[in-house]
Amino acid sequence: MTFLIQQTLLYAIPLMIVALAGVFAERSGIINLALEGIMIFGAFIGVLFVHMVQKAGVFDAAKAANDWVALQGFEIMAMLAAAFMGAVFSLLLSFASVNLKADQTIGGTALNLLAPALVLFFIRIIANQNTLQMATGDAASWFMVKKSMFGYGRNDEMGFLGSTFIDKTYLATYICILVFVVLSILLYKTRFGLRLRSCGENPQAADSLGINVYVMRYAGTTISGALAGMGGFVYALTTANCASTGDVAGFGFLALAVMIFGNWKPLNIAGAAILFGLFKCIAASYASIDINGDGVFLLAQIGISPHFYRMLPYIITLVVLAFTSKKSRAPKAEGIPYDKGQR
Amino acid sequence: MNQRLSQLWQRDATKTVLASLVSILIGMAVGGVIIFIVGMTNPSLGPASVWEGIRLAFLGLFSTGRDAAGGLTFGFNPVNMGDMLFRATPLILTGLSVAVAFKTGLFNIGAPGQYLMGTAVTLMLALGIPSETVPTALIWVIAFLGGTLAGALWGCIPGLVKAFLNINEVLACIMTNWIAANLVTWMFDGSDFRNLVENTKSGYIYKTSYNGVETAKLGLDQIFPNSQVNGGIVVAIVIAILVWVLMSKTTLGYQLKACGANRHAARYAGIADKRNIVLSMAIAGGLSGAGAALYYLSGNTEFFWSTYQTLPAIGFNGIPVALLAASNPIGVVFTGCFMSMLDIVGQQITNLTAYNEYIADIIIAVIVYLSAFSLVIKMLFSWRRKRRAEEENANAEEPGDGEEGSGGPAAAPLPADAPAEDGGAGAPPEDRPGDAPGAEETGKGGERA
């Protein structure tokens, strides 16, 4: 059970945060199809940051002294770097769709093509192969939170909650949850959030009340880019051992599906993300899931092909969308470039 | 002559072509800039390699390797040319696939999945039908049709859920892509189609030539010796022409386009909109499947079957091919060749310099980005005419209107509000060719005022 929850969280948290990224863009009126691309780019930046800092030897002393506070700080810095560059990358999308009134779907697709190309181009030049990894060690030994950090010995039990939510987890997961909560409140309980949402519903009315629609749309897309970039790095850190390969296996698109399934509302999205995280987790590690701890690996033993499990998240997405699409209510003005002259 | 040039200039098609050419030029320039920056900041590369990289980025198609002194040589390279046509074949078809969907108001990002399904069925038919009893030409035709049909059926899925359940086709396409990737892997996993004869090739499916099935060369191998080119390119061009006829000359094509322009208006006019959405996705899927069939029936291509984590780039590259051609089926033939040329360029860069083939992907991505606002680029071209029209209006209204009236002509270099806001840094209008004499006169008139 512990394993199942931890694995599900690993997949659910990046999905959740990237889906929230989609919400911020779409609620301001911009369809952000580029989530996948921004994730790829953010993952690359984060990994590159870790790689460079490791090479410079800044945290070598901290690592040697097992100073895990410093190492967690290092992780947060990498997340910030990924978020910052993700935001910068997303400016390409906002520039095209706000200033140039371009087709947002095509603009997003362009970014989805651009990110892996750029990332692989640089990875090949930096590492001379198609994967950029950490310079030394692995993600677990550098960044993972372990029970030894809290004074527990190797054989001490932490209890169910401790061993599930503290031992062998990443701080990044909890930062993402915190950011998710804070930004959801920002979106719903502040003046800024209300203005942002109004730009996605009726920008003409918003403009008539003195809200600068362009600025709001830039803000929405930039927050979106930062979240997606951070989510990309968190994904790479927690599920890919802090390596960047110019690919996040369709996670950005899955996040879009989560967003639509969650009806553009943060709470529903959190639920949807956990559901999808569960299926993603089953797909990735069906063979080692021991649901009730009796040593029986049920999913591997019922004889269903692993290919089916891998297909499952995508099939479920389609089926779920089929059932919810009638009720789904997208922001009214999403995808429509705002033209001041049009009232 | 001037008059005719001016007319040509004002045609919308001309502007579309020019906008695409500008996108291409900017895209390649960005590629050059990236090579420059990387080369200059990387001590192991240096200026000489930058110059080589940039020359290859623009002229890679004509690269003939290095001479004895180590310098790059350029000239007619039949292998590159032939390979370009060979690789253009599937790109033209996936480009057509995306283009047909675009014309009908749908964004077919599902081409990779349709392509994969086409690949799987084509290979199974081409390798599964015994060539001892069935003539290989017949197998070729069956496999080709089978691949096309598989792609069409796979394309139907997003069409159906779009038409009847109102699910965004982009999302449905992406999900079907990944389902296809897993399904194809599943279909080939443990099958007899895996190449178990050659060592270390079990990750691949047999070439279709293993069963004696391959596309006829049609004499193209005489023109481009040693290259992979075959008759597939001819089939692709014929299909492109057929698609053009379908979309521009038939009632069905008109109905499809009407649905794309305004689904509700089309339904009001008595067009079955749901049927047409499904049909256009089916046609799009069929074209992608046909592309896969032509690529893998060539007899010298191998399919890596364990593909559940990757989608074929050819499918995604159909999007830039279609965008760059502004969804014109005939234009797709040319842009498809251009994209495959970039592919060759990337290969030459990898082989001959310290840079790698992803620079070609960067160029493609920049071109797609620019084509997202090709309308803006087109608008820049339209300035001249707009400005002229405005001046004529102003002059006609009241020649000597004093301060207020001259405001129009004086502000001429920055005409209507929108273009001025969007691209104030555009080229000065004087550069525009094709000036009609009358326009120059009014232009002077404007300056005087």
Side-chain angles (χ1 to χ4, degrees), chain A residues 31-46:
Chain A
I31 293 180
N32 192 350
L33 209 62
L35 287 177
E36 173 100 354
I38 301 173
M39 276 183 83
I40 291 172
F41 194 70
F44 168 67
I45 293 295

Side-chain angles (χ1 to χ4, degrees), chain B residues 371-389:
Chain B
S371 60
F373 44 89
S374 61
L375 270 180
V376 178
I377 300 178
K378 263 164 90 175
M379 209 150 65
L380 283 176
F381 289 129
S382 309
W383 265 19
R384 180 74 193 182
R385 193 175 52 168
K386 237 184 188 171
R387 187 179 80 129
R388 199 155 60 217

Side-chain angles (χ1 to χ4, degrees), chain A residues 33 36 91-93 95-96 99-103 105-107 109-118 120-122 124-125 130 214 247 249-250 253-254 256-257 260 305 307-308 310-311 313-315 317-318 321-322 325-326, chain B residues 34-35 38 42 102 107 109 157 161 164-167 170-172 174-176 178-179 182-183 185-186 189 308-310 316-317 319-320 323 350 354-359 361-362 364-366 368-369 371-373 376 421-422:
Chain A
L33 209 62
E36 173 100 354
L91 286 180
L92 282 174
L93 178 69
F95 176 69
N99 295 74
L100 297 178
K101 300 181 173 54
D103 186 317
T105 316
I106 300 173
T109 307
L111 259 60
N112 283 339
L113 292 173
L114 182 61
L118 266 181
L120 282 169
F121 179 75
F122 285 114
R124 186 73 84 75
I125 283 184
N130 279 357
Y214 294 152
D247 190 13
F253 292 123
L254 216 53
L256 271 181
I260 293 175
S305 164
H307 300 294
F308 181 73
R310 290 204 197 99
M311 226 186 281
Y314 309 107
I315 295 179
T317 310
L318 261 189
L321 283 178
S325 64
K326 296 268 179 198
Chain B
I34 290 178
I35 290 179
V38 169
N42 200 329
F102 261 133
F107 188 39
I109 203 171
I157 299 175
V161 297
F164 291 98
L165 299 168
N166 203 22
I167 296 178
V170 174
L171 215 57
I174 289 160
M175 295 306 142
T176 49
W178 287 104
I179 294 173
N182 282 293
L183 199 62
T185 310
W186 195 355
D189 191 8
Y308 66 94
Q309 280 178 321
T310 46
F316 283 118
N317 282 344
I319 298 169
L323 285 175
T350 313
Y355 305 98
N356 55 61
E357 70 265 26
Y358 295 109
I359 193 74
D361 291 346
I362 296 177
I364 292 175
V366 172
V368 178
Y369 182 68
S371 60
F373 44 89
V376 178
E421 198 179 288
D422 286 335

